[in-house]
Amino acid sequence: MTRPEPLEAYQWPASNERLAAAVGIDPRSIIRFDGNVAPAPPASARPAAIAAALADVNEYERGRYEPLRAAIAARHGLEIDQVALGAGSDEFIVLVARVFAAGGTIATVPATSYSMYRFAASMAGARIVDDPAAADLVFVCRPNNPTGELPDVPAVPGQLVIDEAYADYAGVDALGSIADGAIVLRTFSKAFGLAGARVGYALSDSERIAILSSRQAPLSVSSLSAALAMAALANPPDVGPQIAERERLTVRLGELGLSPVPSYTNFLYIPMEDPQRLVDAMLPYGVVLRAFAGGLRISVRDQVDDDQLLDALATELLGRDAVAAPVRHRRATAETRFAVRLRVPGEGRVLVQSGEGFYDHMLQQLAFHAGMDLRVEGVGDPETGDHHAVEDMMRTFGEALDRALGDRRGLTRYGEARVPMDEALAHAVVDLSGRATATLSIDPDPGMAAHALESLVQTARITLHVTATGTNAHHVAEAAFKAVGRALAQALVRDGGLVRSTKGSL
Ligand code: PMP
Protein backbone atom coordinates (compact mmCIF):
# COMPACT_ATOMS: atom_id res chain seq x y z
CA MET A 1 0.00 0.00 0.00
CA THR A 2 1.38 3.44 -0.86
CA ARG A 3 1.07 6.03 1.84
CA PRO A 4 0.16 9.56 0.72
CA GLU A 5 2.59 12.37 1.47
CA PRO A 6 1.25 14.97 3.95
CA LEU A 7 0.34 18.27 2.27
CA GLU A 8 1.44 21.64 3.54
CA ALA A 9 -1.06 22.33 6.37
CA TYR A 10 -3.01 25.50 7.17
CA GLN A 11 -1.01 27.39 9.78
CA TRP A 12 -3.21 27.99 12.80
CA PRO A 13 -2.24 30.97 14.95
CA ALA A 14 -0.87 30.05 18.37
CA SER A 15 -3.11 29.91 21.47
CA ASN A 16 -3.26 32.76 24.00
CA GLU A 17 -1.46 30.56 26.51
CA ARG A 18 1.43 29.83 24.17
CA LEU A 19 1.78 33.46 23.03
CA ALA A 20 1.66 34.75 26.60
CA ALA A 21 4.23 32.20 27.76
CA ALA A 22 6.61 33.31 25.00
CA VAL A 23 6.79 36.85 26.45
CA GLY A 24 6.06 36.06 30.10
CA ILE A 25 2.65 37.73 30.47
CA ASP A 26 -0.75 36.65 31.84
CA PRO A 27 -2.75 34.87 29.07
CA ARG A 28 -5.83 36.79 30.26
CA SER A 29 -4.20 40.02 29.09
CA ILE A 30 -3.89 38.83 25.47
CA ILE A 31 -6.08 40.66 22.93
CA ARG A 32 -6.42 39.08 19.50
CA PHE A 33 -6.30 41.54 16.64
CA ASP A 34 -5.44 38.70 14.27
CA GLY A 35 -8.73 36.84 13.73
CA ASN A 36 -11.07 39.31 11.98
CA VAL A 37 -13.89 38.17 14.22
CA ALA A 38 -16.50 40.11 16.19
CA PRO A 39 -15.17 41.51 19.49
CA ALA A 40 -17.89 39.72 21.52
CA PRO A 41 -20.50 36.98 21.03
CA PRO A 42 -24.00 38.09 20.02
CA ALA A 43 -26.51 38.46 22.87
CA SER A 44 -28.47 35.61 21.28
CA ALA A 45 -25.62 33.15 21.95
CA ARG A 46 -26.59 31.79 25.35
CA PRO A 47 -27.61 28.47 26.86
CA ALA A 48 -31.34 29.06 26.27
CA ALA A 49 -30.66 29.19 22.51
CA ILE A 50 -29.31 25.65 22.50
CA ALA A 51 -31.57 24.13 25.17
CA ALA A 52 -33.95 22.49 22.68
CA ALA A 53 -31.04 21.15 20.59
CA LEU A 54 -29.45 19.71 23.75
CA ALA A 55 -32.68 17.94 24.65
CA ASP A 56 -32.45 16.14 21.30
CA VAL A 57 -28.69 15.79 21.09
CA ASN A 58 -28.95 11.98 21.04
CA GLU A 59 -30.80 12.22 17.72
CA TYR A 60 -29.55 12.98 14.21
CA GLU A 61 -31.06 16.16 12.84
CA ARG A 62 -33.63 15.15 10.27
CA GLY A 63 -34.27 17.30 7.24
CA ARG A 64 -30.81 18.88 7.19
CA TYR A 65 -31.80 21.97 9.15
CA GLU A 66 -34.70 23.01 6.97
CA PRO A 67 -35.72 25.94 9.22
CA LEU A 68 -32.18 27.34 9.15
CA ARG A 69 -31.81 26.94 5.40
CA ALA A 70 -35.25 28.50 4.92
CA ALA A 71 -34.31 31.47 7.14
CA ILE A 72 -31.05 31.97 5.22
CA ALA A 73 -32.88 31.73 1.89
CA ALA A 74 -35.43 34.28 3.07
CA ARG A 75 -32.65 36.63 4.20
CA HIS A 76 -31.20 36.66 0.70
CA GLY A 77 -34.44 36.41 -1.30
CA LEU A 78 -33.60 32.90 -2.56
CA GLU A 79 -35.23 29.45 -2.47
CA ILE A 80 -34.32 26.85 0.15
CA ASP A 81 -32.74 24.56 -2.48
CA GLN A 82 -30.30 27.39 -3.27
CA VAL A 83 -28.68 27.07 0.17
CA ALA A 84 -26.16 24.48 1.43
CA LEU A 85 -24.82 24.52 4.99
CA GLY A 86 -21.27 23.65 5.99
CA ALA A 87 -18.83 23.74 8.89
CA GLY A 88 -17.72 27.28 8.14
CA SER A 89 -17.28 28.65 4.66
CA ASP A 90 -13.86 26.98 4.74
CA GLU A 91 -15.67 23.68 4.14
CA PHE A 92 -16.99 25.06 0.86
CA ILE A 93 -13.66 26.57 -0.15
CA VAL A 94 -12.15 23.09 0.03
CA LEU A 95 -15.21 21.48 -1.55
CA VAL A 96 -15.55 23.77 -4.58
CA ALA A 97 -11.85 23.28 -5.34
CA ARG A 98 -12.31 19.50 -5.28
CA VAL A 99 -15.54 19.57 -7.25
CA PHE A 100 -14.72 22.13 -9.94
CA ALA A 101 -10.93 22.10 -10.21
CA ALA A 102 -9.63 18.62 -9.24
CA GLY A 103 -6.29 18.25 -11.00
CA GLY A 104 -6.97 21.52 -12.82
CA THR A 105 -6.34 25.21 -12.28
CA ILE A 106 -7.47 27.86 -9.81
CA ALA A 107 -7.02 31.65 -9.88
CA THR A 108 -7.75 34.14 -7.12
CA VAL A 109 -8.97 37.71 -7.41
CA PRO A 110 -7.13 39.71 -6.17
CA ALA A 111 -3.90 37.75 -6.67
CA THR A 112 -2.98 38.29 -2.99
CA SER A 113 -5.86 36.91 -1.04
CA TYR A 114 -7.09 34.49 1.63
CA SER A 115 -4.49 31.75 2.15
CA MET A 116 -7.12 29.01 2.38
CA TYR A 117 -7.57 29.10 -1.42
CA ARG A 118 -3.99 27.89 -1.82
CA PHE A 119 -4.54 25.03 0.62
CA ALA A 120 -7.81 24.12 -1.10
CA ALA A 121 -5.95 23.98 -4.43
CA SER A 122 -3.31 21.77 -2.90
CA MET A 123 -5.95 19.40 -1.47
CA ALA A 124 -7.65 19.22 -4.87
CA GLY A 125 -4.37 18.57 -6.69
CA ALA A 126 -4.95 21.83 -8.57
CA ARG A 127 -2.44 24.46 -9.65
CA ILE A 128 -2.75 28.16 -8.86
CA VAL A 129 -2.53 30.25 -12.06
CA ASP A 130 -2.31 34.01 -12.52
CA ASP A 131 -4.88 34.52 -15.27
CA PRO A 132 -8.50 34.19 -14.09
CA ALA A 133 -9.59 33.76 -17.72
CA ALA A 134 -7.45 30.60 -17.94
CA ALA A 135 -8.61 28.92 -14.68
CA ASP A 136 -11.18 26.18 -14.10
CA LEU A 137 -12.19 27.88 -10.87
CA VAL A 138 -11.84 31.50 -9.79
CA PHE A 139 -12.10 32.59 -6.15
CA VAL A 140 -13.08 36.24 -5.83
CA CYS A 141 -12.55 37.42 -2.26
CA ARG A 142 -15.00 40.28 -1.95
CA PRO A 143 -14.18 42.21 0.16
CA ASN A 144 -10.64 40.87 0.15
CA ASN A 145 -8.74 39.34 3.02
CA PRO A 146 -6.10 40.61 3.94
CA THR A 147 -6.25 43.96 2.12
CA GLY A 148 -9.87 44.95 2.83
CA GLU A 149 -10.40 46.17 -0.74
CA LEU A 150 -13.51 45.45 -2.84
CA PRO A 151 -12.46 43.87 -6.14
CA ASP A 152 -14.67 43.87 -9.25
CA VAL A 153 -16.28 40.55 -10.13
CA PRO A 154 -14.63 39.44 -13.38
CA ALA A 155 -16.42 37.68 -16.25
CA VAL A 156 -14.60 34.36 -16.64
CA PRO A 157 -15.25 31.07 -18.43
CA GLY A 158 -14.47 28.95 -15.34
CA GLN A 159 -16.60 28.44 -12.23
CA LEU A 160 -16.85 31.69 -10.27
CA VAL A 161 -16.86 31.44 -6.46
CA ILE A 162 -17.40 34.74 -4.67
CA ASP A 163 -16.30 34.57 -1.04
CA GLU A 164 -18.38 37.12 0.85
CA ALA A 165 -17.18 36.35 4.36
CA TYR A 166 -16.98 40.11 5.08
CA ALA A 167 -19.81 41.37 2.85
CA ASP A 168 -21.91 42.45 5.85
CA TYR A 169 -19.35 45.18 6.51
CA ALA A 170 -19.18 46.26 2.86
CA GLY A 171 -22.90 46.90 2.50
CA VAL A 172 -22.76 45.50 -1.04
CA ASP A 173 -22.90 41.94 -2.32
CA ALA A 174 -22.67 40.00 -5.54
CA LEU A 175 -25.76 37.85 -5.05
CA GLY A 176 -26.90 39.00 -8.50
CA SER A 177 -24.10 36.87 -10.00
CA ILE A 178 -25.90 33.71 -8.86
CA ALA A 179 -28.20 34.10 -11.87
CA ASP A 180 -25.08 33.80 -14.04
CA GLY A 181 -23.95 30.58 -12.33
CA ALA A 182 -21.74 31.99 -9.58
CA ILE A 183 -21.45 30.35 -6.17
CA VAL A 184 -21.47 32.81 -3.26
CA LEU A 185 -19.99 31.81 0.11
CA ARG A 186 -21.16 33.34 3.37
CA THR A 187 -20.40 32.71 7.04
CA PHE A 188 -21.72 33.23 10.56
CA SER A 189 -18.09 33.64 11.72
CA LYS A 190 -17.64 37.36 11.20
CA ALA A 191 -20.45 39.92 11.58
CA PHE A 192 -22.69 37.33 13.31
CA GLY A 193 -20.01 36.63 15.93
CA LEU A 194 -20.15 32.80 15.81
CA ALA A 195 -16.69 31.80 14.55
CA GLY A 196 -16.40 29.04 17.14
CA ALA A 197 -19.72 27.51 16.11
CA ARG A 198 -18.43 26.82 12.57
CA VAL A 199 -21.43 27.58 10.39
CA GLY A 200 -21.09 28.79 6.82
CA TYR A 201 -23.17 28.42 3.70
CA ALA A 202 -23.06 28.36 -0.06
CA LEU A 203 -25.65 30.09 -2.24
CA SER A 204 -26.12 29.33 -5.91
CA ASP A 205 -28.63 27.95 -8.39
CA SER A 206 -30.29 24.74 -7.24
CA GLU A 207 -28.25 22.60 -9.69
CA ARG A 208 -24.91 23.73 -8.31
CA ILE A 209 -26.12 23.48 -4.72
CA ALA A 210 -27.24 19.89 -5.45
CA ILE A 211 -23.79 19.14 -6.91
CA LEU A 212 -22.07 20.51 -3.80
CA SER A 213 -24.45 18.93 -1.27
CA SER A 214 -24.04 15.50 -2.82
CA ARG A 215 -20.30 15.69 -2.21
CA GLN A 216 -20.42 16.88 1.41
CA ALA A 217 -20.00 14.65 4.44
CA PRO A 218 -23.48 14.14 5.92
CA LEU A 219 -24.39 16.80 8.50
CA SER A 220 -21.10 18.60 9.02
CA VAL A 221 -22.94 21.25 11.06
CA SER A 222 -23.88 20.22 14.61
CA SER A 223 -27.42 20.75 15.90
CA LEU A 224 -25.99 23.03 18.62
CA SER A 225 -24.29 25.23 16.06
CA ALA A 226 -27.38 25.31 13.87
CA ALA A 227 -29.41 26.47 16.88
CA LEU A 228 -26.92 29.28 17.55
CA ALA A 229 -27.07 30.34 13.90
CA MET A 230 -30.87 30.28 13.97
CA ALA A 231 -30.93 32.46 17.10
CA ALA A 232 -28.44 34.88 15.59
CA LEU A 233 -30.48 35.19 12.39
CA ALA A 234 -33.53 36.20 14.40
CA ASN A 235 -31.52 39.21 15.55
CA PRO A 236 -29.14 40.14 12.74
CA PRO A 237 -26.09 42.19 13.77
CA ASP A 238 -25.87 45.94 13.46
CA VAL A 239 -22.44 46.50 11.89
CA GLY A 240 -22.79 50.29 12.19
CA PRO A 241 -20.75 50.66 15.41
CA GLN A 242 -18.05 48.38 14.03
CA ILE A 243 -17.77 50.46 10.87
CA ALA A 244 -17.64 53.69 12.88
CA GLU A 245 -14.90 52.17 15.05
CA ARG A 246 -12.99 51.10 11.92
CA GLU A 247 -13.02 54.69 10.69
CA ARG A 248 -11.95 56.03 14.11
CA LEU A 249 -9.10 53.53 14.27
CA THR A 250 -8.01 54.46 10.73
CA VAL A 251 -7.69 58.11 11.75
CA ARG A 252 -5.91 57.32 15.01
CA LEU A 253 -3.43 54.99 13.27
CA GLY A 254 -2.79 57.81 10.79
CA GLU A 255 -1.83 60.05 13.72
CA LEU A 256 0.82 57.48 14.62
CA GLY A 257 2.23 57.61 11.10
CA LEU A 258 0.60 54.37 9.94
CA SER A 259 -1.50 54.43 6.77
CA PRO A 260 -4.17 51.74 6.45
CA VAL A 261 -5.71 51.32 3.02
CA PRO A 262 -9.47 52.08 2.82
CA SER A 263 -11.30 49.01 4.10
CA TYR A 264 -14.68 47.43 3.32
CA THR A 265 -14.28 44.98 6.19
CA ASN A 266 -13.78 44.72 9.96
CA PHE A 267 -10.00 44.88 9.63
CA LEU A 268 -7.34 47.28 8.41
CA TYR A 269 -4.33 46.55 6.24
CA ILE A 270 -1.19 48.65 6.46
CA PRO A 271 1.34 48.03 3.68
CA MET A 272 4.85 47.99 5.17
CA GLU A 273 8.21 46.33 4.97
CA ASP A 274 8.97 43.83 7.70
CA PRO A 275 5.57 43.81 9.46
CA GLN A 276 6.78 40.90 11.60
CA ARG A 277 9.02 43.32 13.48
CA LEU A 278 5.97 45.22 14.70
CA VAL A 279 4.04 42.00 15.41
CA ASP A 280 6.88 40.85 17.66
CA ALA A 281 7.20 44.26 19.33
CA MET A 282 3.49 44.36 20.20
CA LEU A 283 3.22 40.91 21.79
CA PRO A 284 4.67 41.91 25.19
CA TYR A 285 1.79 44.42 25.42
CA GLY A 286 -0.64 41.52 24.98
CA VAL A 287 -1.50 42.77 21.49
CA VAL A 288 -1.58 40.10 18.77
CA LEU A 289 -1.36 41.37 15.20
CA ARG A 290 -0.85 39.48 11.94
CA ALA A 291 1.94 39.93 9.42
CA PHE A 292 1.58 39.23 5.69
CA ALA A 293 4.20 39.34 2.95
CA GLY A 294 3.69 43.05 2.26
CA GLY A 295 1.85 44.41 5.24
CA LEU A 296 0.28 44.29 8.66
CA ARG A 297 -3.36 43.32 9.30
CA ILE A 298 -5.28 44.60 12.31
CA SER A 299 -8.78 43.39 13.19
CA VAL A 300 -11.05 46.17 14.44
CA ARG A 301 -12.34 45.32 17.93
CA ASP A 302 -14.02 47.95 20.11
CA GLN A 303 -12.93 51.28 21.48
CA VAL A 304 -11.38 49.98 24.72
CA ASP A 305 -9.37 47.25 23.01
CA ASP A 306 -8.41 49.45 20.08
CA ASP A 307 -7.26 52.20 22.44
CA GLN A 308 -5.04 49.68 24.17
CA LEU A 309 -3.53 48.80 20.79
CA LEU A 310 -3.05 52.50 20.00
CA ASP A 311 -1.41 53.12 23.39
CA ALA A 312 0.97 50.22 22.83
CA LEU A 313 1.82 51.46 19.32
CA ALA A 314 2.38 55.01 20.61
CA THR A 315 4.77 53.68 23.24
CA GLU A 316 6.61 51.51 20.76
CA LEU A 317 6.73 53.88 17.76
CA LEU A 318 6.80 57.32 19.38
CA GLY A 319 8.32 56.52 22.79
CA ARG A 320 5.27 57.83 24.65
CA ASP A 321 4.85 56.81 28.30
CA ALA A 322 3.26 53.40 28.66
CA VAL A 323 -0.42 53.48 29.74
CA ALA A 324 -1.53 50.86 32.27
CA ALA A 325 -3.65 48.22 30.55
CA PRO A 326 -7.11 47.49 32.00
CA VAL A 327 -7.66 44.26 33.90
CA ARG A 328 -9.65 41.92 31.66
CA HIS A 329 -11.86 39.48 33.48
CA ARG A 330 -14.52 37.03 32.31
CA ARG A 331 -17.00 34.76 34.01
CA ALA A 332 -19.43 32.33 32.40
CA THR A 333 -21.98 30.00 33.97
CA ALA A 334 -24.99 28.13 32.59
CA GLU A 335 -27.05 31.20 33.53
CA THR A 336 -24.96 34.23 32.60
CA ARG A 337 -21.74 35.42 31.02
CA PHE A 338 -19.88 38.64 31.71
CA ALA A 339 -16.74 40.29 30.40
CA VAL A 340 -15.23 43.14 32.41
CA ARG A 341 -12.46 45.56 31.52
CA LEU A 342 -11.43 47.68 34.47
CA ARG A 343 -8.76 50.31 35.02
CA VAL A 344 -8.21 51.63 38.56
CA PRO A 345 -7.67 54.51 38.82
CA GLY A 346 -9.25 55.67 35.58
CA GLU A 347 -11.07 58.72 34.31
CA GLY A 348 -14.67 57.71 34.91
CA ARG A 349 -15.19 56.31 31.41
CA VAL A 350 -17.93 53.82 32.10
CA LEU A 351 -20.20 51.57 30.05
CA VAL A 352 -22.28 48.78 31.58
CA GLN A 353 -24.51 46.58 29.45
CA SER A 354 -26.08 43.51 31.00
CA GLY A 355 -29.59 44.02 29.67
CA GLU A 356 -30.78 44.85 33.23
CA GLY A 357 -31.07 48.58 32.69
CA PHE A 358 -31.64 49.72 36.26
CA TYR A 359 -28.68 47.86 37.78
CA ASP A 360 -26.50 48.73 34.78
CA HIS A 361 -27.25 52.32 35.75
CA MET A 362 -26.40 51.62 39.40
CA LEU A 363 -23.04 50.00 38.64
CA GLN A 364 -22.28 52.79 36.21
CA GLN A 365 -22.86 55.32 39.01
CA LEU A 366 -20.66 53.40 41.42
CA ALA A 367 -17.74 53.09 38.98
CA PHE A 368 -18.03 56.67 37.75
CA HIS A 369 -17.95 58.10 41.25
CA ALA A 370 -15.08 55.77 42.15
CA GLY A 371 -13.10 57.25 39.23
CA MET A 372 -12.69 53.94 37.45
CA ASP A 373 -12.67 53.14 33.74
CA LEU A 374 -15.14 50.28 33.52
CA ARG A 375 -16.67 48.38 30.68
CA VAL A 376 -19.03 45.53 31.51
CA GLU A 377 -20.76 43.48 28.83
CA GLY A 378 -22.80 40.39 29.30
CA VAL A 379 -26.12 38.61 29.20
CA GLY A 380 -28.19 36.78 31.73
CA ASP A 381 -31.33 34.70 31.49
CA PRO A 382 -34.07 37.36 31.54
CA GLU A 383 -36.77 34.67 31.43
CA THR A 384 -35.92 33.94 35.10
CA GLY A 385 -35.93 37.63 36.11
CA ASP A 386 -33.05 39.95 36.90
CA HIS A 387 -31.52 38.02 39.81
CA HIS A 388 -28.85 35.97 38.03
CA ALA A 389 -27.70 38.78 35.75
CA VAL A 390 -27.40 41.38 38.52
CA GLU A 391 -25.68 39.03 40.95
CA ASP A 392 -23.19 37.69 38.41
CA MET A 393 -22.49 41.13 36.96
CA MET A 394 -21.55 42.38 40.43
CA ARG A 395 -19.57 39.23 41.25
CA THR A 396 -17.59 39.53 38.01
CA PHE A 397 -16.96 43.21 38.64
CA GLY A 398 -15.82 42.34 42.17
CA GLU A 399 -13.42 39.68 40.89
CA ALA A 400 -11.97 42.17 38.43
CA LEU A 401 -11.61 44.76 41.22
CA ASP A 402 -9.85 42.23 43.46
CA ARG A 403 -7.40 41.50 40.63
CA ALA A 404 -6.93 45.21 39.90
CA LEU A 405 -6.09 45.87 43.56
CA GLY A 406 -3.36 43.23 43.51
CA ASP A 407 -1.70 43.03 46.96
CA ARG A 408 -3.39 46.36 47.86
CA ARG A 409 -0.01 47.90 48.59
CA GLY A 410 0.12 51.69 48.75
CA LEU A 411 -3.65 52.21 48.98
CA THR A 412 -5.34 54.41 51.60
CA ARG A 413 -7.53 51.42 52.39
CA TYR A 414 -10.43 53.23 54.16
CA GLY A 415 -13.06 55.52 52.67
CA GLU A 416 -16.34 57.07 53.75
CA ALA A 417 -19.01 59.12 52.00
CA ARG A 418 -22.49 60.55 52.53
CA VAL A 419 -24.51 61.12 49.36
CA PRO A 420 -28.04 62.52 49.10
CA MET A 421 -30.38 62.11 46.19
CA ASP A 422 -33.35 64.35 46.63
CA GLU A 423 -35.18 63.00 49.71
CA ALA A 424 -32.88 59.94 50.00
CA LEU A 425 -29.63 59.86 51.99
CA ALA A 426 -26.94 57.18 51.92
CA HIS A 427 -23.90 56.64 54.10
CA ALA A 428 -21.15 54.23 52.99
CA VAL A 429 -17.95 53.18 54.73
CA VAL A 430 -15.49 50.90 52.97
CA ASP A 431 -12.35 49.04 53.97
CA LEU A 432 -10.23 47.27 51.36
CA SER A 433 -9.63 44.72 54.08
CA GLY A 434 -9.22 41.53 52.11
CA ARG A 435 -12.16 40.15 54.15
CA ALA A 436 -15.67 40.01 52.73
CA THR A 437 -18.11 41.60 55.18
CA ALA A 438 -21.29 43.42 54.20
CA THR A 439 -23.52 45.25 56.67
CA LEU A 440 -26.21 46.79 54.53
CA SER A 441 -29.49 48.55 55.18
CA ILE A 442 -31.15 49.92 52.07
CA ASP A 443 -34.72 50.92 52.77
CA PRO A 444 -36.76 50.82 50.62
CA ASP A 445 -34.75 48.50 48.37
CA PRO A 446 -35.95 48.47 44.75
CA GLY A 447 -35.29 44.70 44.81
CA MET A 448 -31.68 43.73 44.27
CA ALA A 449 -29.70 46.72 45.56
CA ALA A 450 -28.47 45.16 48.81
CA HIS A 451 -27.87 41.79 47.17
CA ALA A 452 -25.92 43.43 44.34
CA LEU A 453 -23.61 45.21 46.80
CA GLU A 454 -23.23 42.04 48.84
CA SER A 455 -22.19 40.14 45.71
CA LEU A 456 -19.55 42.79 45.02
CA VAL A 457 -18.27 42.58 48.59
CA GLN A 458 -17.86 38.81 48.42
CA THR A 459 -15.68 38.71 45.33
CA ALA A 460 -13.83 42.02 45.80
CA ARG A 461 -12.98 40.94 49.37
CA ILE A 462 -13.86 44.26 50.97
CA THR A 463 -15.72 45.39 54.09
CA LEU A 464 -18.73 47.56 53.35
CA HIS A 465 -21.23 49.28 55.63
CA VAL A 466 -24.15 51.06 53.98
CA THR A 467 -27.21 52.75 55.42
CA ALA A 468 -29.60 54.33 52.95
CA THR A 469 -33.08 55.69 53.61
CA GLY A 470 -35.73 57.70 51.78
CA THR A 471 -39.12 57.22 50.17
CA ASN A 472 -38.33 56.58 46.51
CA ALA A 473 -36.57 53.21 46.12
CA HIS A 474 -34.74 54.33 42.96
CA HIS A 475 -33.35 57.36 44.77
CA VAL A 476 -32.35 55.31 47.80
CA ALA A 477 -30.47 52.73 45.72
CA GLU A 478 -28.82 55.35 43.55
CA ALA A 479 -27.62 57.34 46.56
CA ALA A 480 -26.25 54.09 48.04
CA PHE A 481 -24.31 53.09 44.91
CA LYS A 482 -22.94 56.61 44.50
CA ALA A 483 -21.88 56.69 48.15
CA VAL A 484 -20.09 53.35 47.74
CA GLY A 485 -18.35 54.81 44.68
CA ARG A 486 -17.27 57.95 46.55
CA ALA A 487 -16.04 55.91 49.52
CA LEU A 488 -14.09 53.61 47.17
CA ALA A 489 -12.52 56.63 45.46
CA GLN A 490 -11.05 57.65 48.83
CA ALA A 491 -9.92 54.14 49.74
CA LEU A 492 -8.19 53.77 46.36
CA VAL A 493 -6.06 56.91 46.69
CA ARG A 494 -2.33 56.10 46.61
CA ASP A 495 -0.70 56.79 49.95
CA GLY A 496 2.96 55.80 50.02
CA GLY A 497 4.21 52.30 49.38
CA LEU A 498 2.94 50.50 52.45
CA VAL A 499 0.44 47.73 52.78
CA ARG A 500 -1.80 49.62 55.21
CA SER A 501 -2.03 46.92 57.85
CA THR A 502 0.13 46.07 60.85
CA LYS A 503 -0.20 42.47 59.69
CA GLY A 504 1.78 43.41 56.57
CA SER A 505 -0.79 41.99 54.17
CA LEU A 506 -4.41 42.60 53.18
N1 PMP B 1 -13.26 33.49 3.68
C1 PMP B 1 -12.46 34.47 4.09
C2 PMP B 1 -12.09 35.54 3.13
C3 PMP B 1 -11.99 34.48 5.40
O1 PMP B 1 -11.18 35.45 5.82
C4 PMP B 1 -12.39 33.44 6.28
C5 PMP B 1 -11.95 33.38 7.71
N2 PMP B 1 -10.69 33.69 8.02
C6 PMP B 1 -13.20 32.44 5.79
C7 PMP B 1 -13.64 32.49 4.49
C8 PMP B 1 -13.59 31.27 6.61
O2 PMP B 1 -14.56 31.51 7.51
P1 PMP B 1 -15.35 30.34 8.22
O3 PMP B 1 -14.78 29.03 7.78
O4 PMP B 1 -15.16 30.58 9.67
O5 PMP B 1 -16.75 30.51 7.77
Side-chain angles (χ1 to χ4, degrees), residues 10 12 34-37 86-93 113-117 140-146 163-166 185-190 194-196 198-201 267 290 297:
Y10 183 82
W12 278 105
D34 62 340
N36 297 347
V37 294
S89 46
D90 279 344
E91 176 176 331
F92 289 108
I93 292 173
S113 192
Y114 181 37
S115 61
M116 194 64 202
Y117 307 144
V140 182
C141 195
R142 190 173 192 269
N144 187 45
N145 178 10
D163 182 348
E164 293 196 335
Y166 303 95
L185 305 184
R186 288 283 184 115
T187 180
F188 283 91
S189 296
K190 306 300 177 181
L194 294 179
R198 314 301 303 126
V199 188
Y201 52 95
F267 54 84
R290 177 117 184 227
R297 197 189 67 190

Side-chain angles (χ1 to χ4, degrees), residues 366-399:
L366 186 157
F368 176 80
H369 288 285
M372 301 170 173
D373 288 339
L374 175 68
R375 185 130 174 168
V376 176
E377 280 136 322
V379 287
D381 47 359
E383 58 279 2
T384 68
D386 61 2
H387 194 106
H388 296 153
V390 174
E391 176 179 299
D392 286 355
M393 172 171 79
M394 296 304 286
R395 292 189 73 85
T396 317
F397 168 61
E399 286 166 353

Side-chain angles (χ1 to χ4, degrees), residues 171-495:
V172 292
D173 62 51
L175 293 173
S177 307
I178 289 175
D180 305 324
I183 296 167
V184 173
L185 305 184
R186 288 283 184 115
T187 180
F188 283 91
S189 296
K190 306 300 177 181
F192 279 90
L194 294 179
R198 314 301 303 126
V199 188
Y201 52 95
L203 305 169
S204 193
D205 52 43
S206 53
E207 293 77 17
R208 283 176 175 81
I209 290 299
I211 290 168
L212 291 178
S213 302
S214 65
R215 288 161 173 81
Q216 280 183 285
L219 283 185
S220 57
V221 176
S222 81
S223 55
L224 304 175
S225 295
L228 287 171
M230 197 69 191
L233 265 185
N235 239 321
D238 173 11
V239 294
Q242 205 57 10
I243 290 171
E245 176 58 12
R246 175 185 78 202
E247 297 311 307
R248 186 189 77 94
L249 184 58
T250 303
V251 172
R252 296 290 312 277
L253 287 167
E255 290 163 8
L256 298 175
L258 298 169
S259 308
V261 296
S263 169
Y264 288 84
T265 64
N266 63 337
F267 54 84
L268 294 170
Y269 185 74
I270 305 171
M272 66 172 69
E273 279 171 29
D274 197 10
Q276 189 61 43
R277 196 193 63 75
L278 205 48
V279 171
D280 294 342
M282 284 292 103
L283 187 55
Y285 297 89
V287 167
V288 185
L289 306 173
R290 177 117 184 227
F292 289 83
L296 181 74
R297 197 189 67 190
I298 303 176
S299 306
V300 179
R301 295 186 58 93
D302 64 13
Q303 188 161 353
V304 175
D305 287 351
D306 295 348
D307 278 350
Q308 202 176 322
L309 159 76
L310 291 162
D311 288 340
L313 285 170
T315 304
E316 196 58 31
L317 298 175
L318 307 181
R320 281 199 203 142
D321 287 347
V323 178
V327 166
R328 315 168 71 79
H329 192 76
R330 290 149 66 106
R331 188 170 205 275
T333 70
E335 293 165 348
T336 70
R337 69 156 181 275
F338 281 96
V340 171
R341 285 165 285 178
L342 172 66
R343 190 188 271 119
V344 181
E347 288 160 16
R349 287 176 298 199
V350 176
L351 180 81
V352 179
Q353 282 175 329
S354 74
E356 298 300 339
F358 178 71
Y359 289 97
D360 288 355
H361 176 50
M362 291 301 110
L363 178 53
Q364 231 156 285
Q365 294 297 333
L366 186 157
F368 176 80
H369 288 285
M372 301 170 173
D373 288 339
L374 175 68
R375 185 130 174 168
V376 176
E377 280 136 322
V379 287
D381 47 359
E383 58 279 2
T384 68
D386 61 2
H387 194 106
H388 296 153
V390 174
E391 176 179 299
D392 286 355
M393 172 171 79
M394 296 304 286
R395 292 189 73 85
T396 317
F397 168 61
E399 286 166 353
L401 182 57
D402 184 34
R403 279 183 51 203
L405 297 181
D407 64 6
R408 306 183 184 208
R409 179 177 298 277
L411 300 177
T412 300
R413 180 176 166 182
Y414 297 104
E416 176 178 16
R418 249 175 222 286
V419 170
M421 182 162 182
D422 298 354
E423 91 297 343
L425 181 65
H427 179 215
V429 188
V430 68
D431 173 9
L432 308 178
S433 57
R435 298 187 302 278
T437 312
T439 306
L440 309 171
S441 168
I442 296 177
D443 187 21
D445 188 322
M448 289 283 295
H451 187 64
L453 290 174
E454 189 170 356
S455 303
L456 164 64
V457 162
Q458 280 173 7
T459 52
R461 299 188 302 117
I462 59 177
T463 301
L464 181 65
H465 291 252
V466 175
T467 315
T469 53
T471 49
N472 179 305
H474 184 138
H475 291 171
V476 173
E478 187 160 341
F481 276 72
K482 283 176 172 167
V484 173
R486 297 282 298 175
L488 274 171
Q490 283 178 12
L492 290 167
V493 169
R494 296 247 146 229
D495 175 25

